[in-house]
Amino acid sequence: MRAAGRVAAGATAVLLLAGCSAATSDAPAATTAEVRTEASCLDPDVLAALGLELDESLRTRAPAPVTRGLPPEEFVAETALVCDRGETLRDSAGRWRAVTATLLEGDLDPLVDLVAGTTTVAACGTGVVAQVWLVDAMGAAVLLPRDAACAGDELAVALADLGVVDRTEHPVALAQPVAGASS
């Protein structure tokens, strides 16, 4: 089971780097992230980074947008939540685009150190890049900068070393309604 989790985490890390290329520049001072009571792959900014928008019928469940950045000094991450484009889901309304939420655990120090020590701005290009939340033991969470997943091979290694705890698909946008069904 643990080996399967490592394989899945490795696959997630590969997806994270799809479309990324490093570009250096003089970066402004890093913003400290807003600490939220929970991480959500349905956050509007996460969805926008994934090229998705939450369906009107699901908006009552959507959290308010969050301020991204580096974790505050006192924040101690216990898990990471990786949000990425998911598989197509089907229900009585039709086919839905989805977001995959993958919860990872293990030694997060290399990931946190990598993100906190980043001195270059990463340019993801046109590819969709998974978004990463850090979550503490009480469920409080910070959303890392939008391009954090483009930090390079070190990030892929840090994520690949983590074990998959849970993976969930969340419907996001109705892509193809069932003929005759009302949306």
Side-chain angles (χ1 to χ4, degrees), residues 100-146:
T100 301
T102 306
L103 187 63
L104 305 170
E105 71 177 9
D107 182 10
L108 291 176
D109 288 341
L111 175 62
V112 173
D113 292 345
L114 177 66
V115 174
T118 301
T119 57
T120 61
V121 174
C124 291
T126 59
V128 171
V129 180
Q131 301 299 293
V132 181
W133 289 86
L134 296 178
V135 185
D136 74 6
M138 301 302 288
V142 295
L143 182 57
L144 295 180
R146 190 173 185 149

